[in-house]
Amino acid sequence: MKKKVLGALLSVAMVATLLVGCGGGDAAPATTEAPAAEAPAADAAAPADTAATGSGKKVGVAMPTQSSERWINDGANMKAQLEALGYEVDLQYAEDDVQMQVSQIENMIASGVNCLVIASIDSGALVNVEAQAKEAGIPIIAYDRLLMDTDAVSYYATFDNKGVGTAIGKYIEEKKDLANTSETFTIEFFMGSPDDNNAHMLYDGLMEVLQPYLDNGTLICKSGRTSFDDTCILRWSQETAQQNCENYLTGFYADEDLDICATAFDGFAYGCKAALEGAGYTEANWPLITGQDAELMATKNIISGKQTMSIYKDTRLLAEKCVTMVQAVLEGAEPEINDTEQYDNGKIVVPSYLCTPVAVDKDNYEEIIVEGGYYTAEQLAE
Ligand code: BGC
């Protein structure tokens, strides 16, 4: 069933699970402290064309969790870039606890922040606290995840979320030469949290590429779970992804190998890796595993062959774009916007800047990630 297709691909874009279901996510231990984490080997300084105008103003930055490396980097980059401009920063992590995030934002409002930057846990659960901010005259910028059902959000900085899905789909399509092959490949899906708009957009982009191959039988999903509802994983839980993968392997792949784990997140790729190792998969039958975020561990797994690809999202760039939005709402500057159509949150279409996600694998990680200064060769060798 395996077929080797050579060549690097640099794609620029642009369940209710088997037994566990979307409700199976576990929250990480609760803490409100911002981490002492380092940003990627990055120049986290303020954008070059901006002046240090933030003096005396305070920005509340609400991040979802420290359980995944990307958010630690996001928070560190935002804090460094805002502080370089003279802003005071209150950075809080809510450890995937929605109520904790609500309280953190309430406290930020009470403490007199001038602007809020929010990467939500549940994008529709902050409507009341967002209304409080609006009432208090505090502008809100949505960070990476769209804030739904509110007119209190001014701007949105993110990556092209549908483009992430398309890039993952195209990677699978090209690596397995799906358009030309006469072989068939088994595939299982591990999609993101249903309360995160990004997860839906990623799924749509992915299926735009892969659905034709499921329809014509080139791709075979033996669990039959291909819909978003059947493959989404609440709060992006790595444990649930592992459990789902274990269940799929036991239930459907006793006599035949699983060829492709189409996952939406590096954390899911780690879960699949653990399940596959537990089931006795080796280099000889290791599947193609996708991911998202190009976390340090994922990049190491790509180098060692335990993960095939990830989507690199330069959190330095995202922070830079978001900081220009903070400046716009506080100083009357003009932020760069490149999308005024896609991100309708149910109340308004939020003016957005979409950064470009990039597919990385063994063939291009050095050029994209190391030469791009995201991780050093030493970090990857540790
Ligand atoms: C982000 C992804 C991330 C996921 C899990 C999504 O909202 O866009 O980059 O992998 O959350 O943290």
Side-chain angles (χ1 to χ4, degrees):
M1 270 206 169
K2 305 285 175 193
K3 180 168 182 178
K4 271 191 195 151
V5 177
L6 296 173
L9 172 71
L10 170 60
S11 280
V12 178
M14 193 196 107
V15 189
T17 54
L18 182 60
L19 295 173
V20 178
C22 273
D26 285 333
T31 168
T32 55
E33 273 175 34
E38 281 174 34
D43 172 11
D49 57 346
T50 53
T53 51
S55 168
K57 294 196 177 127
K58 188 164 150 189
V59 181
V61 179
M63 287 281 155
T65 178
Q66 296 175 74
S67 66
S68 148
E69 185 192 299
R70 81 147 283 188
W71 298 111
I72 298 178
N73 293 336
D74 285 287
N77 288 330
M78 280 300 293
K79 190 166 163 25
Q81 292 190 22
L82 286 167
E83 284 178 350
L85 288 169
Y87 292 100
E88 190 188 330
V89 178
D90 181 3
L91 169 63
Q92 300 287 337
Y93 284 86
E95 305 317 333
D96 279 337
D97 178 333
V98 177
Q99 271 323 304
M100 186 187 290
Q101 188 164 58
V102 169
S103 310
Q104 288 175 341
I105 297 169
E106 280 171 352
N107 290 339
M108 288 172 181
I109 295 170
S111 79
V113 294
N114 300 93
C115 178
L116 283 164
V117 172
I118 303 176
S120 60
I121 296 164
D122 177 337
S123 53
L126 300 175
V127 171
N128 291 340
V129 77
E130 286 154 352
Q132 279 174 42
K134 189 177 177 191
E135 183 90 11
I138 303 168
I140 300 176
I141 315 290
Y143 186 93
D144 193 76
R145 296 174 173 173
L146 186 59
L147 295 165
M148 304 301 287
D149 306 318
T150 179
D151 64 359
V153 54
S154 303
Y155 294 108
Y156 178 36
T158 190
F159 283 84
D160 179 348
N161 290 295
K162 191 171 176 208
V164 172
T166 311
I168 294 174
K170 285 194 167 151
Y171 187 92
I172 295 172
E173 183 183 43
E174 296 205 14
K175 277 284 154 187
K176 296 295 186 191
D177 197 18
L178 298 180
N180 304 305
T181 187
S182 53
E183 295 180 67
T184 61
F185 300 95
T186 54
I187 185 166
E188 295 295 339
F189 296 89
F190 303 83
M191 293 295 108
S193 191
D195 54 11
D196 182 346
N197 186 58
N198 293 354
H200 297 267
M201 296 190 80
L202 186 157
Y203 174 83
D204 290 347
L206 179 73
M207 283 308 187
E208 209 170 88
V209 182
L210 297 186
Q211 189 63 51
Y213 300 111
L214 287 161
D215 292 343
N216 73 13
T218 306
L219 292 177
I220 300 166
C221 178
K222 295 185 83 174
S223 72
R225 294 184 179 268
T226 58
S227 70
F228 181 79
D229 287 349
D230 279 348
T231 55
C232 65
I233 295 177
L234 187 69
R235 303 281 138 74
W236 301 88
S237 160
Q238 175 176 330
E239 293 73 23
T240 306
Q242 177 171 343
Q243 207 175 322
N244 289 353
C245 190
E246 284 166 2
N247 292 337
Y248 293 147
L249 293 174
T250 316
F252 302 100
Y253 295 92
D255 304 322
E256 196 176 358
D257 289 341
L258 173 57
D259 297 322
I260 303 166
C261 294
T263 99
F265 169 44
D266 286 344
F268 296 165
Y270 309 151
C272 288
K273 171 178 174 281
L276 290 156
E277 281 167 349
Y281 278 71
T282 63
E283 207 180 320
N285 61 349
W286 197 258
L288 187 165
I289 304 179
T290 68
Q292 173 179 207
D293 291 341
E295 291 191 343
L296 183 60
M297 194 196 289
T299 311
K300 288 179 177 180
N301 288 342
I302 287 173
I303 295 167
S304 72
K306 293 286 181 167
Q307 183 171 328
T308 315
M309 63 83 72
S310 187
I311 297 293
Y312 168 60
K313 297 166 102 174
D314 188 341
T315 53
R316 300 166 299 183
L317 179 64
L318 183 61
E320 193 178 308
K321 295 299 173 191
C322 187
V323 166
T324 68
M325 292 172 175
V326 171
Q327 288 197 302
V329 294
L330 292 181
E331 324 289 345
E334 271 300 311
E336 195 182 348
I337 295 302
N338 62 11
D339 187 284
T340 50
E341 282 168 17
Q342 273 193 79
Y343 289 95
D344 184 340
N345 74 357
K347 282 270 195 272
I348 53 170
V349 179
V350 185
S352 306
Y353 187 90
L354 314 185
C355 303
T356 304
V358 178
V360 288
D361 69 2
K362 219 171 184 163
D363 294 326
N364 69 359
Y365 81 90
E366 276 177 313
E367 182 194 337
I368 306 289
I369 289 185
V370 181
E371 285 170 30
Y374 204 64
Y375 304 129
T376 62
E378 290 70 35
Q379 280 175 299
L380 291 170
E382 272 165 20

